[in-house]
Amino acid sequence: MRTCPSCGRENPEDVRFCGRCGAALTPAEVREVRKTVTVLFADVTGSTALGEKLDPEALRRVMGRYFDEMKSVLESHGGTVEKFIGDAVMAVFGVPTLHEDDALRAVLAANEMRGRLAALNGDLESDYGVAIEARIGVNTGEVVTAQGDGGQRLATGDAVNVAARLEQAAAPGQILLGESTLELVRHAVDVDAIEPLPLKGKEARVPAFSLVRTL
């Protein structure tokens, strides 16, 4: 909402003049904020095959149930779902509010997402004869967000890119953690080290760790 500088009335973001007094509304001030956050990407694998098995309405219901379940898990751990990109979900832990344990929150959420999906698949197999597989990447680092009167906006930065690349490199059902995330949650997880990954846009191979379980 935009607040009128003349009369104080709140107006929708897409209007240029106040609906009460007609005064011109100036765009809300936006400022860039740097934060260290943990980013989680989750993506469905084999969605093309799902589309071949299901009619469009059934596919929409299946994916809707999946997104609802994953969003519920992420938000229950304090994550902010920033966007859905096709079959992928991007969530940030530390926006708009930072917590000392954001990395742990993200990893616990990822682990619960994997478990919740297994339970959901039981229902989907019964109702539609299909199951969903997903892969997840989690990474911690500094990002830039645009913050204004309308609230926090999309996070950008290398930490986001690496989280997305980790997700793309993960196998179905696998959760890959970046080294910076592992350093913050080492006491609470059991992981397997994998060969450093050649990620797009990175000169050196990137260390990654496969989450076995949370402790």
Side-chain angles (χ1 to χ4, degrees):
M1 301 291 286
R2 289 188 184 181
T3 301
C4 176
S6 178
C7 70
R9 176 174 177 166
E10 290 190 342
N11 294 269
E13 287 286 341
D14 58 351
V15 301
R16 297 177 59 191
F17 299 94
C18 178
R20 173 185 292 166
C21 69
L25 300 174
T26 56
E29 180 184 357
V30 177
R31 60 191 181 279
E32 289 189 344
V33 179
R34 289 182 176 270
K35 289 186 174 183
T36 297
V37 303
T38 298
V39 182
L40 182 153
F41 270 91
D43 193 15
V44 171
T45 62
S47 57
T48 301
L50 277 179
E52 293 176 349
K53 293 179 180 179
L54 301 171
D55 63 55
E57 290 78 12
L59 179 61
R60 180 177 58 83
R61 289 193 292 270
V62 166
M63 294 306 299
R65 289 174 66 175
Y66 166 76
F67 284 128
D68 287 345
E69 289 285 338
M70 299 304 104
K71 185 172 185 287
S72 174
V73 172
L74 290 162
E75 292 181 344
S76 72
H77 288 275
T80 298
V81 177
E82 289 228 335
K83 59 182 176 179
F84 296 103
I85 316 164
D87 298 327
V89 181
M90 172 188 171
V92 180
F93 292 77
V95 172
T97 303
L98 284 170
H99 305 92
E100 291 185 358
D101 61 345
D102 278 321
L104 180 58
R105 289 168 181 255
V107 173
L108 291 174
N111 192 58
E112 185 176 341
M113 289 168 71
R114 184 162 58 183
R116 186 79 67 90
L117 180 56
L120 175 62
N121 275 333
D123 293 336
L124 296 180
E125 289 173 345
S126 175
D127 296 342
Y128 300 97
V130 299
I132 290 176
E133 290 187 307
R135 57 194 184 189
I136 298 175
V138 184
N139 189 56
T140 303
E142 189 176 70
V143 301
V144 174
T145 64
Q147 189 176 43
D149 292 345
Q152 206 84 20
R153 310 261 178 103
L154 192 64
T156 58
D158 187 61
V160 177
N161 297 332
V162 171
R165 302 289 185 241
L166 288 172
E167 173 264 301
Q168 293 164 6
Q174 188 176 36
I175 300 168
L176 289 184
L177 309 182
E179 186 174 32
S180 55
T181 300
L182 180 62
E183 290 176 357
L184 296 169
V185 302
R186 192 181 300 274
H187 64 286
V189 298
D190 183 9
V191 299
D192 287 333
I194 64 174
E195 288 293 321
L197 300 171
L199 301 185
K200 183 179 179 181
K202 306 293 288 185
E203 293 185 5
R205 288 177 175 258
V206 175
F209 305 85
S210 179
L211 179 67
V212 177
R213 63 189 178 100
T214 55
L215 303 179

